Amino acid sequence: MHNMNQYCSEYPFFISAGLTTYYHPGINLKKIHHDSIKLYETLEAETGQAVGLHQPGSIRIASTPIRVDEMKYQMTRTHWHVTEQYLIGPEKIQELFPLLNMDKVLAGLYTPGDGHIDPYSLTMALAAGARMYGAQIYNNAPVTSLKPTSDGKWDVQTSHGTIRANRIVNTAGFWAREVGKMIGFEHPTIPVHHQYIVTATIPEVKALKKELAVIRDLEGSYYLRQERDGLLFGPYEKMEKMVLQDSWVRDGVPPGFGKELFESDLDRIMEHVEKAMEMVPVLKKADIINIVSGPITYTPDLLPMVGPHCGVRNYWTAIGFGYGIIHAGGIGKFLSEWITNGEPPYDLIECDPNRYGKWTDVPFICAKARESYGFNNVVGYPKEERFAGRPTCRTSGVYELLKDKGSMGFHAGWEQPHWFYKPGDDIGYKPSFQRTNWFGPVGRECKLVMEKVGVIDLTPFGKFIVKGKDSHKLLDRLFANTMPKVGMTNISHMLTPSGKVYAEVTITQLAPGRFLLVTGSGSELHDLRWIETEVAQGGYDVDITNVTEDIGVLGIAGPNSRKVLQKLTNEDMSEAGFKFLHCKSIQLAGKPVRAIRISYTGELGWELYTDQKDLAAVYLAMMEAGKDEGIDNFGTYAMASLRLEKGFRGWGAEMNCDTNPLEAGLDYFIKLNKPADFIGKAALQEIKAKGLNRKLSYIAVNTDDIDPEGNETVWYNDKVVGNTTSGAYSYSSQQSLAFAYLPLELSTLGQKVEVELLGKKYPANVIQEPLIHTEPTRTRLQKKAQSKA
């Protein structure tokens, strides 16, 4: 939408400090930052338009021991990326920023090539480059409506006429919400007031021989850079002091708003100004020549919304950029490649616009934006939880029963127990880079499932019913596995055209041509959009219903799970009567339940699907019936440990749009010989013919008070050779486990490598998987041994 591109490009004209950095705490967003800077470095030569790019580097300042740990944590997540990043000491920091008060400085995270750029000049250069390659930019052409056509295109109506577009990309900045409303969406974006201060010339700055590095004082919660012969610094005030422009959410952006600024409020940020003066003493005598206050757009989790939107054809978004300048170039490249090739160039599901839904109402948006802004520079721990705006309207039928019994996690709007409390436990959310208060209780829950019986709330799973004349044909096209027979279940994968793993889904054929599809909580609308796109493109006669919020799910697992269920139903739950990966409709404690014999713990277990209103009754009945069997609750942390012991891969970790299923060890689920031409089949056949370069390996890590969690660097002979994908402590074998991608030559059993955790390299070796056989495998091996005897 051309006028909105114009508005979005004007946005940095009046508020952006123009910071550019390779750093990002996430994984693939580092690639977005990298691609942006690499574009900006060549833009002047390509377009003839100066962009004012400065690259003095940047330093994130650590002034507490926990900040040093955070930087070590980030270093191990960066070594296996192309970006240069170094943990440096006070001496190097002072060399790069000689005006710093070093009294509290312990260390710094230094990123060469970082800096800042002139937002207006960059905007003009991007526009000039776009015109060079054939783009048309219409100024003063406000969009009045968006009308979809029957063939999936769009009529973009403006005051000057109508443009027929194959697709539209909403890049409208703080107008994004209004554009979304034109087609029925309430995008969860909200403007936040952000201020930065510009000083007059400072003699000590003017006397410098080279430009100061950009600094980010994490404890002071501000950034600071050189601006000509003065300084520019911008704070992020605490959540109770920051200001939302929530009237724009309710009433829309005022007509004609463009380059205006908000009224500045120095008192609101004075706490951070004082911290900046303490860290950079020359600020105490500096004159302020400008305080800039304007809107920046936030989403609830501070990450942008990038990609095609579920529920409507050919509508894409690139909105909600709290740090627009550094994302602009990389996001443009990412989206253009996705649009051109029909799949994302790499995994960026954390920015998927479909991670939000109707549950993201205005109170939630406001609460989370306030939290995200105020928490901008808080310590970024693994397994981080933030509690503002919770719970949402998405609560399972057992939430009220469980909410005070354990530590809850947030999954796509749902509350789901991570681990449960017992008397004497150190309770509550206490994040750490080492093992923390949940370590012991999770071990207790693993033992429960391995030796007795446990119950877990799995309601957040995404759940769809697919039915109709072409349902089997559709799913055969979408999935690389064959479709299960009626009354049976399997695990299947949707692949991209280039053979990457787009999704992992459990499929059950409930009746002829009627299928239940179950995916992870964070993949609900991500997967549904992919399915809907194939339906539209292929003209399939099917009906798809999203039943995620209607159906509750409980998992029951452990050697005593069969005994508990048998007490509550007349259905034969024996090994012969209810086999692995079979599904039956049963009555459980008088409630209709769809039972599937499967468990992501790898132990004997079932998933029980029932109406949300009946979930509490089913749960209470099981807990009562299982008293003699030692029944209790367990959470997702225990399930993660148990699945790793069994060698189960997880989508978003071992497999995603960065990996193909053959290197991920998913060969069993990929049926290259099935007649259907499933998406990605040809690409996989080519990959198989060429052979693999790397392989997912199962490794044991010799650690102390820390465990791998995924995305850590793997070393061999002082060289980076791979990365972990997930990790956990195995309570059964009392050792740390991880999956890691390694070169083929380093993936053989017994191969020794090192895994970096908090700046230390721990010895690891490739072991046979799984560490513990699943219950169905153990049962089969026992029967085989008995028959031989």
Side-chain angles (χ1 to χ4, degrees), residues 383 385 387 390 403-409 418-422 424-432 436-439 441-442 444 637:
K383 293 182 170 60
E385 288 291 324
F387 298 95
R390 296 169 51 182
K403 66 179 182 179
D404 297 325
K405 294 183 178 180
S407 181
M408 288 285 180
H418 280 165
W419 60 282
F420 286 88
Y421 307 148
K422 293 292 181 187
D425 287 346
D426 181 11
I427 67 173
Y429 172 66
K430 298 183 179 179
S432 173
T436 183
N437 61 331
W438 53 260
F439 182 77
V442 170
R444 179 177 65 217
Y637 285 0

Side-chain angles (χ1 to χ4, degrees), residues 88-202:
I88 60 175
E91 185 175 326
K92 180 65 175 178
I93 294 171
Q94 191 158 39
E95 176 189 326
L96 293 165
F97 201 105
L99 304 181
L100 211 59
N101 174 3
M102 303 300 294
D103 290 350
K104 296 181 180 179
V105 176
L106 300 178
L109 203 61
Y110 172 52
T111 314
D114 282 9
H116 55 96
I117 196 167
D118 176 52
Y120 177 78
S121 298
L122 173 62
T123 300
M124 294 300 103
L126 290 171
R131 289 189 179 100
M132 280 172 50
Y133 295 107
Q136 298 177 25
I137 300 176
Y138 299 93
N139 293 323
N140 302 314
V143 172
T144 55
S145 72
L146 300 169
K147 302 292 185 185
T149 63
S150 59
D151 59 354
K153 298 181 180 181
W154 289 89
D155 282 340
V156 182
Q157 298 179 357
T158 78
S159 55
H160 300 284
T162 298
I163 302 171
R164 175 64 59 89
N166 292 329
R167 67 187 57 78
I168 52 178
V169 184
N170 183 346
T171 60
F174 42 72
W175 290 276
R177 189 172 172 87
E178 294 181 44
V179 172
K181 285 182 177 181
M182 292 182 185
I183 54 176
F185 289 122
E186 296 271 351
H187 293 315
T189 60
I190 185 170
V192 173
H193 287 225
H194 180 63
Q195 301 183 93
Y196 64 80
I197 296 172
V198 183
T199 76
T201 294
I202 298 174

